[in-house]
Amino acid sequence: MKNSIILVSTLAALLSLGGCTQQVASPNPDGATMVASDTVTLDSAGASGSTAGGNGSYGSGSTAGGNGKNSVHFAYDSNKLSQKEKHKISRDASTLKRKSVIKVEGNSDEFGTDEYNYALGLRRAKAVKDTMVAKGVPAKKIKVVSYGESNPVCQDGTKNCYQENRRADYK
Amino acid sequence: MKTLLLLLLPFLLLAAPDARLKISKDVDQRVSIAVINAGDPTVVSKKLHGIFVSDLKISGHFVPDKTYYSGSYDNTIPPAMRAKAYILKYDFGKSTSGAVLMVRLLKAANSKVVLEKKYAIPAVAKFPFIAHKATTDLNDALGYRSIAWINRYVVFARYTGRKQSEILLADYTFNYSKTVIRGGLNLFPQWGDPKQQGFYYTSYETGTPTIFHLNIYTGKREHIVSSPGMLICSDVSKNGHKLLLTMAPNFQPDIYEFDVASREAKRLTTFSGIDVNGKYSDNEHAITFVSDRIGRPNIYKKQIGSSAVSQLIFHGRKNNSCDTYGNKIVYSSKEGPAKFNIYLANSAGGSVRPLTSTGSNQFPRFAPDGDTVLYIKRAKGVNAIGYIGLKTNQAMLFPLGNRKIQSIDW
């Protein structure tokens, strides 16, 4: 993990005391009112959330989760797995049982707004976890996380494309 | 043709406020004003003219003349401008330690100086803030209702790739923006205090969602809480002591009230579906939030400490984001595949007022004065930030480019 402050203003926090953040209470020597003292930039590069599937650029029509992952898909605004998708997870259960850690990532399409999409992604990941557990995969091995709409495999703006993004990936 | 459209886009966006907004304020109640660039006609000083015009317009107290004028910085009023109520003259120039702006507000009829002031800024790139501050001061000098919100930073996250995002600060017109967190997946920035010293945000850097607080002036970053599944800071109490979190320690998204000092979280909702987007209301005795408890997202309210939940909105099929100010609620409602509109309602009842009518309009947020609503409009692949004055009925849009905004706060 690398976090470094690459720029810190010499004026810094001492100059940010007014009624509003950027207005400074005291004038400078020329009698001018100082406005908008400088702020920092935090570099989180290398501290990426890009675990499985993240490649730093948006997808363009690919339907695979990528990086050896398996994916199951959901209907619009739903976290219910179809029989077909449950069967897919059942088929993988024996392989999953041999793994020490299984990561399930829930995703959504771009519709809906911010928090709701992350909650929907989580509910989808949870549905996959529950199905795995029902097939004998130990619950303690399964890590669940939602990436909401941040991890699309497709951005073509078509119905099929949006469907590809309503998914949970597991590995 | 595409290039021409791109060049024209900012102007088209600025000229296209939402059609269903009813302009009810009498134009004659606002005063006319012209803005004169009395300094060197540099690129930045010319841009300042447009920013002054935007500031004066969004205030709802002025009818600014959009024409770019240049002239001298004395008290002379060109004869053609005598019919205006006020003339604002400004002189912007670089200095050894940044930049300096001098402004002079004159009564057009008699050249009387109403306000004269000098401002300094440490970085020229922040020139929009110097205009915002000057406009706020001249607005105050004339005794109008405060528009201090235009001096505030907007903090927002935008996606840069799969599982990649950045968090930026901007002025309200987005003429200034600066990345404050780059690299990785960092989401849901939420101001942590009224003075905007720092903000909370969700980081995925360890693989487990974690909320940090970042002081934007010192760079001090503080770990607040981690939780598996998902974790979002949705609101902060006025004194900054408590947070409303959407958290899922058992993979069940619910709203929790988190005490920053003790690090203790109290679960406020217990529904088996989705409860998110908690916002304090009723002087922080209640929360307003989004829930899918009737099978689709809608807006609900709950007194803190009570088990009863009441449905607040009886309009729209999918209302999946909201903000509150006192009894006022703004929410976005899904009305088509890529169509969202924003509505204003009151938790005490009454009619629902549409604030937008075309395109995709999301992330509604109240200004600190509760009289202005910020939102993100997306139309034909292009984002814009929009402002609607609830009292003045002024509406403005500023282009944002085509990167998808993830979340926004101001």
Side-chain angles (χ1 to χ4, degrees):
Chain A
M1 182 173 73
K2 176 190 168 191
N3 285 310
S4 59
I5 305 305
I6 62 169
L7 176 65
V8 180
S9 161
T10 51
L11 293 170
L14 291 175
L15 296 180
S16 57
L17 298 172
C20 290
T21 311
Q22 299 126 54
Q23 272 60 66
V24 177
S26 57
N28 72 6
D30 294 332
T33 301
M34 285 295 293
V35 177
S37 49
D38 214 348
T39 56
V40 299
T41 296
L42 184 69
D43 197 341
S44 289
S48 167
S50 56
T51 51
N55 60 7
S57 61
Y58 282 107
S60 58
S62 163
T63 57
N67 291 352
K69 287 189 299 182
N70 297 301
S71 300
V72 288
H73 295 86
F74 296 82
Y76 172 75
D77 200 17
S78 171
N79 63 322
K80 300 280 188 293
L81 280 163
S82 67
Q83 284 305 317
K84 183 183 160 197
E85 300 299 287
K86 280 184 179 174
H87 180 68
K88 206 185 282 184
I89 297 168
S90 302
R91 202 181 53 207
D92 294 334
S94 56
T95 308
L96 293 168
K97 284 177 196 171
R98 291 196 293 272
K99 288 179 175 287
S100 55
V101 177
I102 301 147
K103 186 162 186 181
V104 184
E105 299 177 355
N107 304 279
S108 71
D109 62 26
E110 66 179 59
F111 302 118
T113 48
D114 45 21
E115 293 196 25
Y116 188 82
N117 274 348
Y118 278 77
L120 183 60
L122 180 64
R123 300 274 292 167
R124 286 172 174 166
K126 175 70 163 41
V128 170
K129 179 186 176 181
D130 290 345
T131 305
M132 289 177 178
V133 172
K135 296 299 172 188
V137 180
K140 63 182 178 185
K141 285 187 176 183
I142 306 170
K143 286 184 73 176
V144 167
V145 69
S146 174
Y147 283 100
E149 77 267 7
S150 74
N151 188 25
V153 292
C154 178
Q155 285 206 311
D156 289 350
T158 62
K159 278 188 177 179
N160 286 343
C161 178
Y162 295 135
Q163 179 56 45
E164 290 302 324
N165 293 333
R166 296 171 196 136
R167 71 188 199 285
D169 304 324
Y170 55 94
K171 185 178 175 183
Chain B
M1 186 62 187
K2 195 174 176 183
T3 308
L4 180 64
L5 277 173
L6 283 172
L7 287 170
L8 288 173
L9 190 61
F11 305 101
L12 294 173
L13 284 167
L14 284 169
D18 284 284
R20 276 168 70 185
L21 280 172
K22 217 170 91 182
I23 306 300
S24 58
K25 188 176 177 78
D26 184 354
V27 171
D28 291 335
Q29 291 177 2
R30 293 176 284 153
V31 295
S32 58
I33 187 168
V35 182
I36 296 176
N37 183 356
D40 292 336
T42 61
V43 173
V44 173
S45 76
K46 285 181 175 176
K47 280 186 180 175
L48 271 172
H49 186 277
I51 293 171
F52 273 123
V53 168
S54 297
D55 288 355
L56 292 164
K57 185 185 174 199
I58 199 71
S59 75
H61 305 140
F62 300 92
V63 182
D65 185 340
K66 291 178 184 171
T67 311
Y68 175 81
Y69 296 107
S70 57
S72 61
Y73 193 71
D74 54 23
N75 292 358
T76 308
I77 305 291
M81 293 188 188
R82 291 280 179 193
K84 306 282 183 193
Y86 295 100
I87 304 297
L88 172 62
K89 294 190 175 190
Y90 70 92
D91 184 350
F92 178 83
K94 291 180 184 175
S95 69
T96 51
S97 56
V100 171
L101 174 75
M102 295 189 296
V103 296
R104 182 177 290 174
L105 180 67
L106 301 160
K107 270 196 164 180
N110 57 13
S111 298
K112 185 184 170 191
V113 177
V114 179
L115 177 79
E116 184 159 22
K117 209 157 178 181
K118 185 178 179 184
Y119 302 89
I121 199 162
V124 176
K126 287 193 164 182
F127 71 92
F129 285 110
I130 212 166
H132 302 331
K133 175 59 177 156
T135 308
T136 304
D137 287 347
L138 76 87
N139 179 79
D140 291 347
L142 293 173
Y144 293 129
R145 179 176 47 82
S146 173
I147 53 165
W149 63 264
I150 68 173
N151 298 305
R152 291 176 66 83
Y153 277 121
V154 174
V155 62
F156 66 103
R158 68 181 179 193
Y159 291 119
T160 55
R162 290 178 63 186
K163 295 182 183 175
Q164 295 285 319
S165 65
E166 57 188 0
I167 294 179
L168 299 94
L169 297 178
D171 77 308
Y172 88 97
T173 67
F174 280 64
N175 275 291
Y176 167 82
S177 68
K178 178 185 175 183
T179 303
V180 282
I181 301 179
R182 61 179 160 220
L185 184 61
N186 299 288
L187 308 165
F188 298 107
Q190 182 81 35
W191 286 113
D193 60 285
K195 291 184 177 178
Q196 298 189 314
Q197 297 289 301
F199 60 82
Y200 296 96
Y201 68 99
T202 301
S203 168
Y204 277 65
E205 68 185 41
T206 65
T208 300
T210 300
I211 288 178
F212 289 100
H213 178 271
L214 176 72
N215 184 308
I216 62 170
Y217 294 104
T218 66
K220 182 187 173 192
R221 194 177 80 146
E222 184 183 3
H223 174 279
I224 303 298
V225 60
S226 297
S227 186
M230 68 177 291
L231 181 60
I232 297 164
C233 177
S234 309
D235 203 4
V236 179
S237 65
K238 281 176 190 163
N239 62 13
H241 295 173
K242 293 193 173 175
L243 315 178
L244 287 180
L245 307 181
T246 296
M247 198 157 67
N250 299 307
F251 311 109
Q252 171 56 48
D254 274 310
I255 297 164
Y256 292 71
E257 188 175 48
F258 183 84
D259 187 298
V260 177
S262 69
R263 298 291 203 262
E264 287 178 1
K266 183 171 75 179
R267 190 176 178 184
L268 300 184
T269 63
T270 55
F271 172 58
S272 59
I274 292 173
D275 288 336
V276 293
N277 197 176
K279 295 285 180 184
Y280 281 112
S281 52
D282 291 5
N283 205 23
E284 301 179 3
H285 294 301
I287 56 165
T288 298
F289 61 102
V290 173
S291 175
D292 70 345
R293 55 192 62 214
I294 57 169
R296 55 189 169 83
N298 201 1
I299 316 297
Y300 295 84
K301 184 175 172 182
K302 181 178 188 177
Q303 296 295 317
I304 294 175
S306 162
S307 59
V309 172
S310 57
Q311 184 176 336
L312 281 182
I313 305 298
F314 294 88
H315 150 273
R317 282 198 48 77
K318 288 181 183 290
N319 305 321
N320 49 19
S321 178
C322 69
D323 194 21
T324 59
Y325 187 91
N327 287 334
K328 287 188 278 192
I329 304 162
V330 282
Y331 62 94
S332 63
S333 184
K334 189 170 189 294
E335 297 176 337
K339 187 177 179 186
F340 292 80
N341 276 311
I342 293 173
Y343 293 84
L344 175 70
N346 193 305
S347 62
S351 60
V352 168
R353 174 180 159 190
L355 298 180
T356 63
S357 62
T358 58
S360 169
N361 307 280
Q362 299 189 69
F363 309 108
R365 299 286 185 267
F366 280 108
D369 65 0
D371 291 331
T372 309
V373 172
L374 166 158
Y375 65 102
I376 301 296
K377 176 181 277 291
R378 187 169 175 84
K380 296 177 182 172
V382 176
N383 292 307
I385 187 163
Y387 296 88
I388 297 169
L390 300 178
K391 284 185 175 172
T392 63
N393 282 315
Q394 294 296 312
M396 295 186 80
L397 288 169
F398 298 96
L400 287 181
N402 58 6
R403 281 191 177 165
K404 191 171 187 294
I405 302 291
Q406 187 273 327
S407 183
I408 193 161
D409 192 32
W410 69 340

